[in-house]
Amino acid sequence: MYPWKLNKFGAYLEKTLKSPDDSSSNIPSHFDIIVVGSGAAGLYATLSLAERYRVALVTKGKLRTGSSKWAQGGIAAAIADDDSPQLHLEDTLKAGVGLCDRAAVEFLVSYAPEAIASLLELGVAFDRKNNKLATTLEAAHSRSRVLHSQDTTGRAIVDILTARVSERPNIEILSQAFALSLWQNPQTHHCQGISLLYQNQIRWLRANAVILATGGGGQIFAKTTNPSVSTGDGVALAWRAGAAVRDLEFVQFHPTALSQPGVPHFLISEAVRGEGAHLVDESGRRFAFDYHPQGELAPRDVVSRAIFNHLEKTASDPATANVYLDLRAIAPDRVRYRFPNIIEKCQQWGIDVFSQPIPVAPAAHYWMGGVAVDLMNATSIPGLYAIGETASTGVHGANRLASNSLLECIVFAAQLQKLDSRVGGAHPQADSRVGEYLRVETGDWSGEIEFLELVREKLPALMWHSAGICRTQELLEEAIGQVVRWRSEFADLEIGKYIFNLSATDNIQFESDIASKQLKMAAETMNLLDIGYLILKSAAFRTESRGGHYRKDYPETAAAWEVHTVVEGDRIGL
Ligand code: FAD
Ligand code: SIN
């Protein structure tokens, strides 16, 4: 009556069957809506959903993890007297180098002031000047339009959204809960829930709508400003389920991440350059003007490439070399007022920003590509939605304008208040075997962890080398070969087979946390391998340079390539 499989590897055994009511994690097996991810997008989406819905907010770390909390510079909106949504639109389209979807950008910029009003109403304390909201300039913005809360804007937003979410009785927060896969109806392919690794269990949770808000995938690159949770899970899950994913070759490399051996690539906000800091080389020269008339305030891809090329020309080991960001051109009081977090973090690593320049180099920062969605955040799979950095809404094109990402999270997540009323109400009768019992297993794949650790170390280095700031066909093809080998080795592992073969009739209780830790690591590694493969394939496919995708062997932007790259299953096309 119950599935009874013995792992061929013999590493785990099924022992007993027990009711989920006995377990410590007595979560319902049905929700109206499941939101995966608790960054700005996931939190704001959860708040936007009608309160009649029973919502699960699932997040793989603690509640306040993700890039959103780390956002520094701010959130863009045309609110100044000399600004307008039209100017914001023009700047966004220009930064996107022909690949923005105009309707999506119009939507973004016209709802930006409303998004800010909503955040203010919720309690977000943006900085003010003379009683008016203060704004600053960032690269490629023609007006000062970036609202901020010192240099911890993301934290200010996430803290408030988290507090508001916690007040809502219709929202069940499941933290340290890892979404393993999407659950699709085998006949219709509708998304009908997820499988979840939570409190040493695998549970299949049914829902009428699943919203992916899992952020970006910066961890695929050896140098990144992103937090450890940014492993591209949502894109990998959606792609494996058959959703169309788009423009995955477009990665934004931020020019100024802290570059000091043994220290994380902490972001030194673009707002620092907006306030007047100079980007200088070893000899103190402002070399960025050699590459672009706007110097250090040129678009991010231009500045990142300028640093890359300058180091290639001047450094003995360009891979580890750095340039400097000199804040001494800004009045010290202004630095203290605007950048307390940067001062503190630099101090922590022995850098006094008032007396010495900060060593910086580019690092992977933002993924323009993602799961293709429409203006309602609907993906190509019915019942599946994507928002925030996981989604490709079309607003960023080939390169994102600074501070448009937090804005996109809020403006698009707000659309979910219109989610169809059919989402709520009666649930289709679940398979009677699903959700009733937990099978107890040991689960221990210790012998295979070494391989996973090797991939986690080597894959980001390979991606940085082959699909980083400058790409070539040869490097990309070599990397594809290696990633294909790793993917097939992963598929041959017992832990790999275990994940692939999980079926919706398996609700599992592990005897200790060893199995769930190993499964989480394996599932994240699989996701990284999948997104690595997709980025490489898309980058090899696009034989031109545009925005965040630079091909040394095809350095020009080609009119014929003013089209999106779409991947669906194994098919890649335009
Ligand atoms: P995130 O905030 O990254 O949240 C993703 C969530 O998904 C996390 O809670 C994570 O735990 C969860 N998750 C992931 N996988 C799973 C899984 N399998 N199961 C369960 N949960 C999962 N943009 C701006 O507009 N302005 C800025 O000033 C700015 N500064 C930035 C500074 C830094 C250092 C970084 C890294 C980015 C910055 N960005 C900025 C970009 C912006 O912060 C992000 O693009 C945006 O916050 C993404 O929000 P999100 O909600 O999509 O994802
Ligand atoms: C920054 O503060 O430089 C990051 C802003 C952004 O990524 O939009």
Side-chain angles (χ1 to χ4, degrees):
M1 179 173 173
Y2 299 103
W4 186 259
K5 286 184 291 184
L6 188 65
N7 187 316
K8 288 183 208 120
F9 193 60
Y12 72 94
L13 288 170
E14 295 158 355
K15 280 193 184 159
T16 55
L17 298 166
K18 76 174 189 178
S19 158
D21 293 340
D22 300 335
S23 83
S24 56
S25 58
N26 186 18
I27 47 171
S29 57
H30 288 183
F31 290 90
D32 292 320
I33 301 166
I34 296 174
V35 178
V36 186
S38 63
L43 290 166
Y44 199 84
T46 311
L47 286 174
S48 302
L49 293 166
E51 290 192 48
R52 66 178 178 279
Y53 295 141
R54 188 152 194 214
V55 179
L57 177 62
V58 167
T59 188
K60 72 176 171 182
K62 289 188 187 142
L63 200 51
R64 276 173 290 178
T65 49
S67 292
S68 302
K69 195 187 154 200
W70 290 13
Q72 296 183 4
I75 177 165
I79 56 155
D81 293 342
D82 66 345
D83 202 1
S84 68
Q86 179 61 29
L87 290 173
H88 192 179
L89 173 98
E90 284 164 18
D91 292 346
T92 304
L93 293 178
K94 198 168 159 204
V97 212
L99 275 199
C100 293
D101 174 346
R102 193 183 175 97
V105 181
E106 272 168 358
F107 181 73
L108 178 84
V109 297
S110 56
Y111 282 97
E114 218 172 280
I116 300 300
S118 154
L119 292 175
L120 287 167
E121 200 175 313
L122 287 166
V124 177
F126 290 115
D127 291 341
R128 289 176 182 268
K129 191 176 175 191
N130 304 330
N131 242 353
K132 285 172 83 175
L133 289 167
T135 53
T136 192
L137 191 66
E138 283 187 353
H141 285 272
S142 61
R143 294 288 185 280
S144 170
R145 67 165 72 94
V146 178
L147 290 98
H148 46 82
S149 182
Q150 293 190 314
D151 56 352
T152 47
T153 312
R155 198 192 299 162
I157 294 174
V158 166
D159 283 354
I160 288 289
L161 297 182
T162 307
R164 297 291 166 266
V165 163
S166 313
E167 290 159 11
R168 285 279 181 88
N170 65 316
I171 299 168
E172 181 133 6
I173 297 168
L174 304 176
S175 57
Q176 315 279 7
F178 185 88
L180 273 173
S181 67
L182 298 174
W183 182 13
Q184 285 170 284
N185 179 302
Q187 275 83 44
T188 65
H189 299 293
H190 273 60
C191 184
Q192 57 183 11
I194 61 167
S195 65
L196 187 72
L197 191 57
Y198 179 56
Q199 295 194 343
N200 301 330
Q201 297 179 351
I202 292 175
R203 298 287 300 268
W204 291 81
L205 304 185
R206 193 176 280 274
N208 292 340
V210 172
I211 299 166
L212 293 172
T214 57
Q219 289 298 326
I220 191 70
F221 291 100
K223 296 185 190 180
T224 180
T225 62
N226 288 193
S228 61
V229 292
S230 305
T231 49
D233 297 359
V235 172
L237 260 62
W239 174 67
R240 286 200 295 270
V245 291
R246 189 165 64 182
D247 294 341
L248 299 183
E249 64 274 37
F250 294 106
V251 177
Q252 184 170 80
F253 296 93
H254 198 291
T256 57
L258 183 63
S259 175
Q260 183 146 293
V263 165
H265 299 283
F266 174 74
L267 182 79
I268 310 297
S269 175
E270 191 157 271
V272 174
R273 280 172 285 137
E275 293 282 347
H278 294 170
L279 192 60
V280 296
D281 63 11
E282 200 68 49
S283 67
R285 201 169 68 83
R286 290 176 75 183
F287 64 93
F289 289 93
D290 300 351
Y291 298 86
H292 196 279
Q294 283 173 283
E296 46 259 291
L297 283 179
R300 277 184 191 170
D301 60 312
V302 174
V303 182
S304 286
R305 256 191 327 276
I307 297 173
F308 181 90
N309 289 329
H310 199 67
L311 291 175
E312 288 273 308
K313 276 191 238 158
T314 57
S316 54
D317 180 9
T320 56
N322 58 268
V323 292
Y324 297 90
L325 200 53
D326 195 340
L327 275 63
R328 288 172 296 186
I330 316 172
D333 278 354
R334 184 79 186 148
V335 176
R336 271 185 216 103
Y337 168 67
R338 283 287 283 116
F339 306 116
N341 189 41
I342 291 176
I343 297 172
E344 192 193 313
K345 284 280 165 18
C346 285
Q347 235 159 24
Q348 204 174 306
W349 292 304
I351 303 157
D352 171 21
V353 304
F354 297 102
S355 63
Q356 65 190 117
I358 307 172
V360 292
H365 180 61
Y366 184 86
W367 199 8
M368 272 72 75
V371 187
V373 294
D374 62 17
L375 285 181
M376 289 301 296
N377 307 302
T379 70
S380 60
I381 296 180
L384 182 66
Y385 299 80
I387 49 172
E389 196 167 335
T390 303
S392 166
T393 57
V395 298
H396 305 306
N399 201 10
R400 175 179 64 100
L401 188 67
S403 291
N404 263 357
S405 172
L406 286 175
L407 179 65
E408 180 195 35
C409 287
I410 306 299
V411 169
F412 280 79
Q415 285 290 79
L416 292 163
Q417 61 194 297
K418 299 180 205 151
L419 205 63
D420 201 291
S421 57
R422 280 170 302 178
V423 164
H427 286 278
Q429 191 55 47
D431 181 330
S432 58
R433 292 164 303 168
V434 177
E436 280 182 34
Y437 291 97
L438 286 171
R439 200 175 65 221
V440 178
E441 292 182 0
T442 303
D444 185 358
W445 297 270
S446 302
E448 298 184 330
I449 299 304
E450 204 180 318
F451 171 77
L452 300 179
E453 282 169 350
L454 178 119
V455 171
R456 291 298 278 266
E457 187 199 322
K458 302 255 181 236
L459 175 64
L462 178 73
M463 291 296 291
W464 181 256
H465 179 65
S466 318
I469 295 167
C470 281
R471 304 162 170 180
T472 64
Q473 195 72 24
E474 198 187 344
L475 283 176
L476 291 166
E477 297 292 350
E478 268 173 35
I480 290 170
Q482 180 58 65
V483 172
V484 166
R485 282 193 290 281
W486 279 330
R487 288 177 81 223
S488 87
E489 283 177 64
F490 179 88
D492 285 340
L493 296 180
E494 291 305 325
I495 198 165
K497 287 186 225 160
Y498 185 85
I499 295 173
F500 288 127
N501 293 333
L502 277 172
S503 97
T505 48
D506 297 340
N507 279 315
I508 294 161
Q509 166 80 59
F510 294 106
E511 284 182 330
S512 77
D513 64 356
I514 294 172
S516 43
K517 281 186 182 147
Q518 292 175 348
L519 280 173
K520 178 174 179 246
M521 188 201 179
E524 267 186 357
T525 308
M526 175 171 76
N527 293 340
L528 284 166
L529 282 168
D530 284 351
I531 65 162
Y533 174 74
L534 292 169
I535 292 171
L536 290 166
K537 286 294 263 190
S538 306
F541 181 69
R542 184 174 285 274
T543 49
E544 65 148 0
S545 292
R546 184 184 295 270
H549 168 71
Y550 183 77
R551 292 280 306 252
K552 213 170 169 181
D553 43 358
Y554 296 94
E556 302 303 324
T557 302
W561 277 102
E562 201 172 298
V563 277
H564 297 288
T565 314
V566 180
V567 185
E568 243 180 315
D570 286 333
R571 276 175 296 131
I572 182 162
L574 299 171

